[in-house]
Structure formats: C-alpha cells, structure tokens
Amino acid sequence: MGAWLSDGVRWTSFNARTRVVVWEAGEEDPDSFVDTGRLLLALAASRGSIASAVLAAEGIDLMAFAHLLAHSGERGPRGSMSASVVRAVRNASVYADTFGDAAASTGHLLLGILDELDGVAMLVLDVLGVRRRGLVTCTRAHLDAARAAGVLDEAGLEEELVSSGSETLPVPPSRVRTAFARRSAADPAISMAVAPDGVVEVARTHEGAGEFALCFRLEDAVDTTIEWMVSLRVTVYSSRHRENLVADAESKLAERSRQVGELLKRLVVPEGPRPDAAEVRP
C-alpha cells in the first residue's frame, strides 16, 4: 500500500488483489490527486479481476472515460486522495461484511465507487450514458458468481523471481563436497549430484516458497568459488506489481548475497583458525 493512504484505509479488509489495485491507483502518478475516476481506471486495468470483468461486460468505453477524466478530475494536494475515494474504500469493507464475505474484492470496491454519486467516476459515467443501476446489478451478479465458484480471493498468477551470485570460500572443493554430502545425507530436502566433468550441484527446496541452489567445480584449488541461486515463487497481480516485486528483489540482492555467504561459511568453514601441528603436539 502506498504512503498516501490514511491509516483508516490502510487497514481496510481487502483481498490481496484489491490492495494492489488501490496502491497502484496512487503509484500511477505519485504527484497527482487520486479521485474515484482514477481508482475506477485502476480497477479496469486489473486483468482477471471481478471489477474488470464487470466493466468489460457493460461495454464501457474506457478510452473515452480516461479522456473525460483528464478534463474533469478533482484537484487536491499531491499524493493524497479525495474524500469520495476514502468513503468508497471503506464502504467496500462494509459491503463485504454485509454479504458475509471474508474480505472485500475489486467487485466490492466497484460498488463503493458507484455509491459516490458526486464522485468523479459517476459524473463521467453519466456523461457516457452509463446507467448506475445496470452497473450495480451486473457487479452484484459477478460477485454472486465468484462467490459460488469460490474465487472471491481473485488469486493472481504465480511467477518465479530469481536472485543469483557467487561466493568464494577459503577451503578446497573436496572439503566443500564432503560438507554438502554430509548435509544431504542427513536432510531429505537437500539433493546433491556430481556430473562427469566434476561439477557439483546442490539444491534445497522450500515447499511453497522457492529453491536455494549451489554449483561448484571439483578441481585442485586452494579456494572454492560457489555459484548460488535463490528462486522465490510470488503471486503477481499486474505488470506494475511485477515490476515493483522485481525492483524490491534487486534492492535486497546485496543483503541476500551477504546472508548466503554467511550460511556457506558456517556450513563449510570451521569456526576460528585451524591449529598448527606444532601447537597441538604434546
């Protein structure tokens, strides 16, 4: 959720997709004022959502809507939102409670927008000749269908985000291989394979989250360079949402690399310096 949201809106009971839609309405142009018209366009752009299906079924000319909106939008402080948006967002939760739904979907939010008769969205829809009653009826029908099908959560597509890097350990490859062989023998979630050319691949799968994979080569060396890869399966609700997820993952790459390095050293490199033979001689 964007910083422009008030606390009352921030904690509104939304499903994940609806939260992303509201957040994106403000992120589209952080310096602008968010009104119900901008929020309705964000709903329309959320492909696969209940609200976008309703707006498509009603045949609303979104290009004309956006054109009229650009010439009739409300004015207010940058990075804030209109009172109509605040009420629409809150009323979406009221609708969900009234219908006995666990969380407000994009359909509930569309109903909240349509209740704001003086909001920019309804004013523009009136100019386009869209009848509010028909739009409300269509929205309720789509909500009923989604409820019956058990898809009110409006789940998005699952994608895989990958981070990778390398780490050099101050031990020979044979010791690294021994350490991982011991771990894979003790932990069924870890697998290890050695290719004919001496490349060792180690992987640990975290069910439902992603995979942590390593790769190094068995050859005579003082140090071992390990190539590592961490994959994370995430739910994506829009192209903008995906862009932000990727940017967030990239911003944390340096910290993740440090954590991977510490993990490998704890696993392979013994604590403290190895004693010299003269020091342990009786």
Side-chain angles (χ1 to χ4, degrees), residues 2 7 10 38 49 64 67 135-136 145 148 175 181 187 191 195 222 257 260 279:
D7 288 340
R10 188 185 303 277
R38 183 179 293 276
S49 71
H67 176 74
L135 197 50
V136 169
R175 183 182 297 178
D187 188 344
S191 64
V222 176
S257 182
V260 170
E279 295 176 353

Side-chain angles (χ1 to χ4, degrees), residues 158-163 189-190 202-213 229-235 256:
E158 189 176 72
E159 293 191 23
E160 183 180 43
L161 300 182
V162 177
S163 297
I190 296 179
V202 182
R204 178 183 180 91
T205 300
H206 300 273
E207 187 174 355
E211 184 178 69
F212 177 57
M229 181 272 289
V230 176
S231 69
L232 182 67
R233 284 185 284 275
V234 297
T235 302
R256 175 165 285 174

Side-chain angles (χ1 to χ4, degrees), residues 217-238:
R217 183 177 295 276
L218 284 176
E219 57 187 18
D220 293 334
V222 176
D223 298 330
T224 305
T225 298
I226 293 182
E227 296 178 356
W228 58 264
M229 181 272 289
V230 176
S231 69
L232 182 67
R233 284 185 284 275
V234 297
T235 302
V236 177
Y237 295 100
S238 68

Side-chain angles (χ1 to χ4, degrees), residues 95-118:
Y95 273 115
D97 290 340
T98 301
F99 298 156
D101 300 326
S105 68
T106 59
H108 298 92
L109 181 54
L110 181 55
L111 289 177
I113 292 174
L114 297 178
D115 279 348
E116 294 301 311
L117 301 182
D118 293 329

Side-chain angles (χ1 to χ4, degrees), residues 41 60-72 124 127-128:
L41 285 178
I60 296 173
D61 188 341
L62 295 174
M63 291 187 64
F65 183 96
H67 176 74
L68 291 172
L69 180 64
H71 294 84
S72 61
V124 174
V127 172
L128 293 175

